[in-house]
Amino acid sequence: MNFTEIANARQSCRKYNPQREVEEEKLFAVLEAARLAPSACNSQPYHFTVCKGETAKAVAKHLTGMGLNTFAKDVPVMIVISERAYSPSAAVASKRKGNDYRSMDIGIAAAYLTAEAEAQGLATCILGWFDDGAVREVCHLDQAVRLIITLGYAADDDVHRTKKRKPMEELVTFL
Ligand SMILES: Cc1cc2nc3c(=O)[nH]c(=O)nc-3n(C[C@H](O)[C@H](O)[C@H](O)COP(=O)(O)O)c2cc1C
């Protein structure tokens, strides 16, 4: 698949096959893609905690506030992305320019990870709705959790949706 094909095929999966585990080599491929992501000053201010089995189930319990993310109980792997310190140069750049590079870096890493997962035939959903304190406790983390990525195989009856996006003329200005 070329990148445009991956971008069209990837979608947020909210219906997983609970019986199907993720192969180790595929898990490592998606983590390697995230490792290759660019970041401001190459600071890589993030950490990936891979939760499987009972730990994934424990994490899933803290994603479902207000009835959201209930599908998480069937997900075999959760990748919890927590923040790490900026490198000294990224810290200076962020302060001087008043720009939150860390969140951007985490978003880019998540994009790489989910794109590679699609290429590997896996399904993902990026989650921003979770109980930070509770997930930190499950994962033994001192730093803020910023995103959680669900990883597994889509259920057989999970259908591909047509992408809904803003039209190009609203999204882009050519000057
Ligand atoms: C930062 C971020 C947080 C998100 N949080 C959630 C979430 O908590 N639960 C969920 O079901 N989807 C979540 N999503 C998925 C978006 O709803 C989804 O990407 C968007 O609707 C576009 O659909 P698509 O990913 O299927 O193309 C999140 C996506 C991003 C990028």
Side-chain angles (χ1 to χ4, degrees):
M1 282 203 274
N2 67 31
F3 184 74
T4 304
E5 289 166 339
I6 291 171
N8 273 306
R10 186 221 54 84
Q11 64 180 6
S12 296
C13 176
R14 301 185 179 93
K15 196 170 186 194
Y16 286 82
N17 179 344
Q19 321 297 346
R20 204 161 163 202
E21 297 295 327
V22 174
E23 298 85 346
E24 285 294 295
E25 64 274 17
K26 293 192 175 186
L27 175 59
F28 277 96
V30 303
L31 292 167
E32 176 62 4
R35 198 177 73 87
L36 295 175
S39 58
C41 305
N42 203 18
S43 179
Q44 302 159 73
Y46 35 65
H47 187 80
F48 304 91
T49 303
V50 179
C51 303
K52 300 198 248 180
E54 288 309 308
T55 316
K57 298 240 175 289
V59 169
K61 286 187 186 145
H62 304 298
L63 315 177
T64 53
M66 293 178 76
L68 292 168
N69 299 333
T70 51
F71 62 89
K73 66 180 185 339
D74 294 327
V75 173
V77 181
M78 303 266 182
I79 302 176
V80 174
I81 311 182
S82 55
E83 217 168 68
R84 285 296 179 273
Y86 279 130
S87 65
S89 54
V92 169
S94 170
K95 197 164 178 197
R96 288 193 63 162
K97 296 297 170 192
N99 216 337
D100 174 14
Y101 299 126
R102 243 183 329 206
S103 291
M104 299 178 203
D105 294 339
I106 287 171
I108 294 166
Y112 270 51
L113 194 158
T114 53
E116 178 60 30
E118 182 62 44
Q120 295 285 340
L122 295 165
T124 56
C125 188
I126 300 171
L127 304 183
W129 181 265
F130 51 82
D131 179 336
D132 172 45
V135 176
R136 279 201 223 185
E137 211 171 307
V138 172
C139 298
H140 314 294
L141 291 166
D142 294 331
Q143 296 84 356
V145 173
R146 293 300 182 206
L147 289 177
I148 297 174
I149 301 185
T150 58
L151 182 71
Y153 283 93
D156 288 343
D157 60 348
D158 189 54
V159 290
H160 184 260
R161 304 180 296 270
T162 306
K163 291 262 172 271
K164 283 189 206 152
R165 296 294 189 258
K166 290 179 183 175
M168 193 69 94
E169 55 276 18
E170 188 184 336
L171 207 56
V172 181
T173 303
F174 293 93
L175 298 175

